Amino acid sequence: MRGQLLKLFFSLVITLFCLGSLLTTVIWYMVNNNNVEPQRPHPKKKSTPDSSDPSDPCKSCREVIDKVIERYSQTWRKQENNYQQFSSQLSSQCHGLDRAIITQANTPVGSKIVYDGDKKKTLKVTPELFSTFAKEHPFPNKTWDTCAVVGNGGILTNSSCGDIIDSAQFVIRCNLPPLGKGYEKHVGTKTDIVTANPSIFLEKYGALMGRRRPFVESLHSYGKSRLLLPAFSYGHNTPVCMRAVYSIEDFESPIQPIFFNPEYLQSLALFWRSRGLRAVRLSTGIIMASIALEHCANVHLYGFWPFGNHPHGLHALTNHYYDDRQTKTKFHSMPAEFDLLLQLHSQGVLRLHLGDCQPGEK
Ligand SMILES: *[C@@H]1O[C@H](CO)[C@@H](O)[C@H](O)[C@H]1NC(C)=O
Ligand SMILES: *[C@@H]1O[C@H](CO)[C@@H](O)[C@H](O)[C@H]1NC(C)=O
């Protein structure tokens, strides 16, 4: 009797177990089939993003953009305590005031440069290399009152923000943006620092291996500003950046080339990582905003908007204010860097400009 009961019990347990696994498998399949996007036979051919649907310009981005606008305060006010706290944390961890840029003072002959994008690579500073370093820090004034950091987002198209950007004491621009051709009304012309990614030398100027005059002439619109180069981030950046430096010297262009200090970029990456940013590399925009936060009492950001649709009109935007390519960013989540900048905006540490400006506004 007891043996039979035991047998019955065990077969019951085994049956239940089998049924359970079967059920789990079935549920697992159902859940996964629901989540996995249907296979598209020609994913490359899918060239109609949601934004071009005329009935709804922004089907899947609306939710994300609505959340941004909810967090974005139009009646922004600087919160002095939050600004002081953030700026001093940044200074004590990254020392941008002395270290953001390579100078003859912080990088003497014989010292060793460690590349921030490739830490196995180092470069010993020779007298020739040393002679290309800035003699002093390129922010002569360590405490500017207002600084504008201008990203190149399509949100600046027809924004009329040129006057207000130019009214800042110090203007930082990213990646050699065009300033003429009618853009000046929307992005201004004043430039104190302009960055250049070496990829632009490769794409537009034949890696500066041939004629260099077109490159040097393209720099005229930036006047006597500083050209900030990531010469020591990757090994292959150095030769092309040096060709840029020598072209500028040989053609006697008034622009002054300077270099990001890879040691600073490294500490800045750690600083943002400790605040939850998991990106492999920081964008030029957040790097320049960070430098500005150490130097400027009032930091204004323009042209920072990672979505393919305008926050107010929801109309489709181009990737940059000066091209006609569509933004590739997916709408499904907020890019982490922008999220952090939006946080700083909400805390009154810096001010993000997402709307159009009034012409003549100061
Ligand atoms: C430096 O900044 C201060 C405070 O904003 C300002 O009054 C002064 O004119 C600036 N100096 C230069 C050389 O621009
Ligand atoms: C910007 O303004 C110009 C001139 O008014 C207009 O032709 C152009 O379509 C506008 N561009 C966008 C993207 O709104």
Side-chain angles (χ1 to χ4, degrees):
M1 187 65 188
R2 228 180 115 195
Q4 258 183 348
L5 258 178
L6 219 62
K7 243 193 211 160
L8 198 71
F9 175 72
F10 274 119
S11 45
L12 204 73
V13 166
I14 286 166
T15 315
L16 275 177
F17 178 77
C18 290
L19 266 176
S21 330
L22 195 71
L23 208 67
T24 316
T25 315
V26 167
I27 288 173
W28 189 84
Y29 261 102
M30 280 167 63
V31 166
N32 276 279
N33 279 344
N34 274 346
N35 280 351
V36 167
E37 274 190 59
Q39 291 285 312
R40 295 182 198 284
H42 301 292
K44 282 258 161 66
K45 278 199 175 161
K46 192 194 157 254
S47 64
T48 44
D50 302 340
S51 53
S52 66
D53 177 353
S55 60
D56 185 350
C58 171
K59 236 177 224 154
S60 48
C61 68
R62 187 188 302 283
E63 204 178 314
V64 181
I65 290 181
D66 281 351
K67 277 199 196 116
V68 172
I69 295 305
E70 218 178 279
R71 283 170 57 191
Y72 179 77
S73 164
Q74 303 277 358
T75 53
W76 181 90
R77 207 165 279 122
K78 187 182 177 197
Q79 304 285 330
E80 195 58 41
N81 286 346
N82 291 348
Y83 164 79
Q84 288 296 346
Q85 195 185 9
F86 190 86
S87 178
S88 64
Q89 277 170 2
L90 199 55
S91 282
S92 67
Q93 284 181 48
C94 303
H95 310 280
L97 294 179
D98 303 313
R99 291 198 203 148
I101 310 296
I102 287 198
T103 63
Q104 296 193 344
N106 64 27
T107 313
V109 174
S111 57
K112 201 173 74 174
I113 293 175
V114 181
Y115 286 65
D116 61 292
D118 178 4
K119 284 170 211 67
K120 281 181 285 211
K121 185 158 173 64
T122 61
L123 185 66
K124 200 164 165 212
V125 177
T126 62
E128 195 199 355
L129 184 60
F130 181 77
S131 72
T132 65
F133 295 169
K135 296 214 165 46
E136 54 213 32
H137 198 283
F139 292 73
N141 204 347
K142 288 203 163 177
T143 50
W144 299 101
D145 182 43
T146 12
C147 297
V149 183
V150 187
N152 296 331
I155 192 174
L156 279 175
T157 304
N158 289 354
S159 67
S160 302
C161 289
D163 288 337
I164 194 169
I165 290 174
D166 282 353
S167 74
Q169 264 192 324
F170 203 78
V171 179
I172 299 171
R173 298 182 190 272
C174 301
N175 213 16
L176 299 176
L179 302 180
K181 292 194 261 178
Y183 295 131
E184 56 274 21
K185 177 164 183 242
H186 308 294
V187 302
T189 55
K190 180 176 177 178
T191 307
D192 294 283
I193 290 196
V194 60
T195 70
N197 193 320
S199 65
I200 208 168
F201 301 148
L202 307 185
E203 286 159 20
K204 285 181 80 176
Y205 302 106
L208 300 172
M209 298 296 279
R211 294 191 189 280
R212 295 158 191 205
R213 188 181 292 278
F215 163 65
V216 177
E217 282 178 354
S218 76
L219 300 175
H220 284 176
S221 54
Y222 312 110
K224 281 197 219 165
S225 61
R226 322 289 168 120
L227 175 66
L228 180 50
L229 302 164
F232 309 109
S233 287
Y234 293 99
H236 55 81
N237 287 8
T238 309
V240 71
C241 287
M242 287 304 151
R243 288 199 291 279
V245 170
Y246 295 141
S247 308
I248 286 164
E249 248 179 59
D250 294 349
F251 286 91
E252 295 175 359
S253 169
I255 205 167
Q256 189 194 330
I258 51 175
F259 308 122
F260 278 113
N261 188 345
E263 191 187 317
Y264 168 76
L265 295 181
Q266 177 62 21
S267 61
L268 191 63
L270 291 176
F271 173 85
W272 284 110
R273 198 170 301 160
S274 73
R275 286 164 185 264
L277 192 60
R278 300 264 162 255
V280 184
R281 304 276 308 163
L282 299 176
S283 73
T284 306
I286 202 168
I287 293 171
M288 297 320 292
S290 309
I291 292 180
L293 280 165
E294 281 196 55
H295 280 281
C296 318
N298 297 285
V299 176
H300 296 260
L301 306 186
Y302 299 86
F304 284 68
W305 178 252
F307 306 103
N309 293 80
H310 197 277
H312 304 308
L314 293 181
H315 50 276
L317 296 173
T318 54
N319 202 15
H320 300 120
Y321 70 80
Y322 48 80
D323 65 22
D324 51 12
R325 266 176 278 168
Q326 291 285 310
T327 310
K328 283 180 224 85
T329 324
K330 293 260 187 289
F331 303 124
H332 305 297
S333 67
M334 173 109 62
E337 273 192 9
F338 185 74
D339 192 34
L340 288 164
L341 293 175
L342 189 59
Q343 262 176 45
L344 294 180
H345 172 89
S346 308
Q347 294 162 0
V349 172
L350 54 71
R351 181 161 186 189
L352 258 174
H353 292 261
L354 298 184
D356 290 346
C357 307
Q358 300 303 318
E361 190 178 334
K362 292 275 153 82

